[in-house]
Amino acid sequence: MAGAFASRRLQRELPKLQATTSPGIKLVSATDLQEWLIDIQVMDSAHPLYAGQTYRLRFRFSGKYPIEAPEVMFIRATAASCWDQKPRSIPMHPHIYSNGIICLDLLDKAGWSPVQNVESVSMSLQSMLAGNYKNERPEGDEVFVRTNTQRPRDVNFEFHDDDC
Amino acid sequence: MPAQDGISDPTDWLGTPVASLEPLEAGLRCEICKDFYTAPVLTACCHTFCSGCIRRSLSSVNASRKCPLCWAPFDEGQLRKNKIVEELVRTFQAARGEILALGHAVRDDAFNRVESGRKRKLDEIEDAIPLSNGVSPRKTRSQTQHKTNLIQPPSMSEKIALEEQEEEDVENRNEDGKVSCPICGQRMPEAQVFTHLDTHSEDKVTMPGISNSRLPNRTQPAMPTMTPLPTLSYSLLSEMQLRKKLRELGIPSDGNKQAMSRRHTEWRNLVNANSDSSNPKSKPDLLRELNNWERTQNSTNHSYTAKATKFAVMDKDFDRDNWSINHNCDFQSLIAAARTKAKASSKLDPKAPEDKVIISNHSSAESSEPNETGKDPPGIPSSSQMSIVGLANRED
Ligand SMILES: [Zn+2]
Ligand SMILES: [Zn+2]
Ligand SMILES: [Zn+2]
């Protein structure tokens, strides 16, 4: 009943997320109970890197969610496809690869907890951006982006000691 | 295993005169499935989850035998039934519909009184106009009474609720710094609770204050609970030995070794969670659940997507407030559709009410494989800070 388990949990989250009062988190699309798109903004209007920017997260759920972590990454989008007519890019961050793959322990197999949900993950990513002032990509970004053929959740990162 | 309570939610209480029940209901729900606890168990760190939820979490390839809430490490063997929570959930669920209806009735009643009061007041004024030579004092008084009646019922009940809440807060305060045993209620220093819990022999426990006669719905297990199953070291068993083991357990024994290991893990979770329930299911029921689980492991995801496309929310011209208004009914209908489906299918097969609303995972086979360290993509300098390592290397 793993599939029913996941669908039940997601059907619980959906109306809440739709009515969410968390500032800077917007449900953009929930076409089905397998892939949701969320737009996030850093609420600090003076932030040197992210002020005024909106970034798009793609959540993919397996039938074992929430026992298993969702696959979460940043994705690009053209201006025409967005509600505010602004394009979505991949935020510059020492733990976000230029292909959108995120190195965050709570999304990793060992760091995930089934008590997390879409909103809590979105908020974690929001604060991960808010706390960063380095205008840089992870070390080895170019090589990783060129060679990685694994899905985000199958990549095993060694987590950095700092703010990751 | 989630309880069958539709898509009820603690927020159902908000907007009723008993909105203070929202946190109470939230406390009776499992943090993993967000449903009311089913066969709740207490972990070594004193957190409570559904037996099935925490066992699944512990046995998933991702889990590292830690509490999902506080990350305290513990073993499945340390799980203890949380009987009082199970009773609370059962009695709360039994009363939930009634209290909610009452809450709605009080709210609607107050609203109606305001409306009819307003109307009557207008009538009285109109009546009074022809008799302008003197409005009787009686009438005036009845008007004032009306006025107070309008305001009093809701505010009075609110006041009482508040006072009661304050009283409860005082009662619950732990002046002695001790905690109560979740099973017998005896007060003791927190550190002693776990050793004390072990002294309870599961079957002889009687709960003070909750006698069976006061619980009309309580049904004693009709059959002896299946004994909890131990873990198997799948890597130490040959395919043939494992197949034999499954046959002995009376569960399907087809498929390769990996499929059989997964099936055994699920069966063990079902049986062991069932043994934590006060109303254990029969083996045929559990076999049916295992069968349902098996189907979600193999099927593809066509079933849902076809239905779901009509709920697509295109992000063009996205405006949050309008979107909330315009699409709220979409979500309502999504929920309504799911409910109807659950109802319809439960008529056909009461044991498999959720089959039709399943989201299946076409990649479940690969995802449940233990991660192998040998799969590192080429070209990553191992000296780099971002080196790719196996799970075992991660200590924090
Ligand atoms: Zn649960
Ligand atoms: Zn805990
Ligand atoms: Zn006790």
Side-chain angles (χ1 to χ4, degrees):
Chain A
M1 303 255 293
F5 195 77
S7 94
R8 209 178 153 82
R9 168 66 124 77
L10 287 167
Q11 281 179 44
R12 247 176 217 301
E13 287 189 44
L14 194 51
K16 281 198 176 174
L17 201 61
Q18 175 259 322
T20 185
T21 47
S22 303
I25 295 176
K26 280 176 193 171
L27 177 67
V28 172
S29 128
T31 324
D32 50 34
L33 298 184
Q34 290 174 33
E35 183 177 303
W36 293 1
L37 300 181
I38 307 270
D39 274 355
I40 64 167
Q41 288 169 335
V42 171
M43 297 316 285
D44 177 1
S45 59
H47 200 286
L49 294 175
Y50 312 120
Q53 296 294 309
T54 306
Y55 299 102
R56 183 154 293 182
L57 289 168
R58 188 188 69 200
F59 283 73
R60 282 186 170 160
F61 310 99
S62 83
K64 288 180 182 165
Y65 176 82
I67 299 298
E68 214 170 63
E71 178 188 292
V72 187
M73 58 186 287
F74 285 100
I75 58 166
R76 292 186 172 83
T78 60
S81 71
C82 293
W83 55 273
D84 54 2
Q85 304 295 312
K86 284 179 189 162
R88 303 287 185 263
S89 60
I90 308 296
M92 206 65 169
H93 191 287
H95 299 146
I96 301 171
Y97 292 90
S98 48
N99 57 7
I101 290 182
I102 305 161
C103 160
L104 179 65
D105 58 354
L106 79 84
L107 295 174
D108 172 76
K109 288 176 183 183
W112 171 254
S113 162
V115 305
Q116 297 281 359
N117 57 54
V118 174
E119 189 176 4
S120 70
V121 169
S122 303
M123 285 166 74
S124 298
L125 288 166
Q126 205 183 15
S127 65
M128 172 176 150
L129 292 184
N132 173 58
Y133 296 95
K134 291 183 193 162
N135 190 13
E136 58 188 47
R137 292 285 175 206
E139 209 178 310
D141 177 56
E142 235 177 85
V143 183
F144 175 74
V145 170
R146 186 151 34 84
T147 56
N148 179 56
T149 51
Q150 287 182 300
R151 302 178 56 182
R153 65 147 182 254
D154 296 326
V155 181
N156 281 309
F157 296 107
E158 181 178 22
F159 293 99
H160 312 246
D161 288 334
D162 42 16
D163 47 349
C164 194
Chain B
M1 294 305 303
Q4 302 295 312
D5 66 322
I7 313 279
S8 69
D9 193 89
T11 52
D12 293 349
W13 297 103
L14 301 179
T16 75
V18 278
S20 54
L21 287 178
E22 193 237 9
L24 171 66
E25 176 167 331
L28 294 175
R29 287 174 179 268
C30 165
E31 289 280 357
I32 297 177
C33 64
K34 312 284 184 198
D35 269 309
F36 283 111
Y37 289 116
T38 303
V41 288
L42 200 61
T43 62
C45 48
C46 296
H47 282 119
T48 298
F49 302 95
C50 304
S51 182
C53 287
I54 189 65
R55 286 174 195 277
R56 278 207 181 80
S57 175
L58 290 175
S59 66
S60 86
V61 283
N62 304 352
S64 27
R65 302 203 174 280
K66 283 176 180 159
C67 170
L69 275 171
C70 70
W71 297 101
F74 69 93
D75 255 9
E76 211 182 319
Q78 290 173 287
L79 296 175
R80 293 287 179 275
K81 285 190 205 183
N82 200 340
K83 290 196 173 189
I84 189 65
V85 168
E86 188 170 37
E87 286 300 333
L88 287 171
V89 166
R90 203 183 58 70
T91 46
F92 183 83
Q93 274 190 290
R96 187 183 195 274
E98 238 169 69
I99 309 174
L100 200 58
L102 214 62
H104 287 153
V106 169
R107 186 191 56 191
D108 296 347
D109 190 42
F111 176 78
N112 288 340
R113 255 189 266 191
V114 170
E115 286 297 290
S116 66
R118 224 176 255 153
K119 222 175 161 189
R120 231 173 299 171
K121 205 174 159 187
L122 274 176
D123 291 347
E124 279 163 7
I125 292 166
E126 277 163 19
D127 286 351
I129 292 168
L131 308 165
S132 56
N133 51 338
V135 179
S136 80
R138 233 175 115 226
K139 235 178 186 173
T140 322
R141 197 166 55 231
S142 88
Q143 252 174 261
T144 3
Q145 268 170 359
H146 257 306
K147 234 181 178 175
T148 37
N149 279 349
L150 295 184
I151 303 152
Q152 258 182 0
S155 69
M156 187 83 106
S157 58
E158 270 167 28
K159 212 178 147 204
I160 292 167
L162 253 171
E163 277 163 9
E164 274 171 2
Q165 211 181 338
E166 277 161 19
E167 269 168 40
E168 269 168 28
D169 285 350
V170 175
E171 270 170 39
N172 287 345
R173 212 161 286 154
N174 277 342
E175 239 102 72
D176 54 358
K178 289 179 177 175
V179 295
S180 313
C181 163
I183 295 175
C184 70
Q186 193 189 315
R187 318 258 316 153
M188 65 196 76
E190 198 173 348
Q192 281 177 23
V193 172
F194 240 81
T195 9
H196 167 87
L197 273 175
D198 289 338
T199 65
H200 284 283
S201 121
E202 305 258 286
D203 297 318
K204 287 176 190 166
V205 179
T206 51
M207 272 172 285
I210 303 180
S211 64
N212 286 358
S213 58
R214 276 172 54 200
L215 305 169
N217 294 337
R218 193 192 191 91
T219 47
Q220 289 305 321
M223 56 200 73
T225 321
M226 278 175 281
T227 37
L229 299 173
T231 43
L232 286 183
S233 309
Y234 303 121
S235 55
L236 299 179
L237 290 171
S238 72
E239 188 164 324
M240 239 170 58
Q241 287 169 315
L242 185 57
R243 208 177 297 285
K244 192 168 159 247
K245 194 85 202 160
L246 297 195
R247 240 178 261 137
E248 283 167 12
L249 289 169
I251 60 174
S253 56
D254 56 313
N256 60 20
K257 193 177 166 188
Q258 201 200 8
M260 287 191 291
S261 311
R262 282 209 305 270
R263 189 182 303 130
H264 179 268
T265 304
E266 180 65 15
W267 179 245
R268 202 172 59 84
N269 287 339
L270 284 170
V271 168
N272 293 0
N274 194 46
S275 73
D276 286 326
S277 168
S278 292
N279 293 308
K281 295 171 189 157
S282 66
K283 190 171 177 183
D285 283 350
L286 290 188
L287 282 168
R288 218 166 287 137
E289 282 184 25
L290 183 70
N291 184 40
N292 287 339
W293 169 85
E294 191 98 32
R295 270 186 287 157
T296 69
Q297 299 298 296
N298 304 325
S299 55
T300 51
N301 50 13
H302 309 308
S303 52
Y304 206 89
T305 32
K307 294 281 177 301
T309 38
K310 74 172 170 190
F311 301 111
V313 177
M314 293 327 289
D315 55 359
K316 218 172 177 240
D317 304 319
F318 180 89
D319 169 282
R320 189 167 157 186
D321 293 329
N322 275 331
W323 184 79
S324 297
I325 295 159
N326 294 340
H327 294 274
N328 190 39
C329 50
D330 278 2
F331 287 106
Q332 297 308 321
S333 55
L334 171 66
I335 289 163
R339 273 192 181 142
T340 324
K341 267 163 179 279
K343 248 181 229 159
S345 53
S346 67
K347 265 180 207 157
L348 300 171
D349 179 4
K351 295 300 166 194
E354 288 182 309
D355 277 16
K356 304 280 155 46
V357 210
I358 273 169
I359 312 265
S360 39
N361 172 23
H362 54 181
S363 59
S364 59
E366 58 176 271
S367 63
S368 50
E369 260 167 23
N371 203 74
E372 278 160 28
T373 44
K375 284 185 189 166
D376 298 351
I380 307 285
S382 58
S383 58
S384 121
Q385 199 191 2
M386 176 228 79
S387 64
I388 295 189
V389 293
L391 282 174
N393 293 4
R394 217 182 144 245
E395 289 297 321
D396 50 328

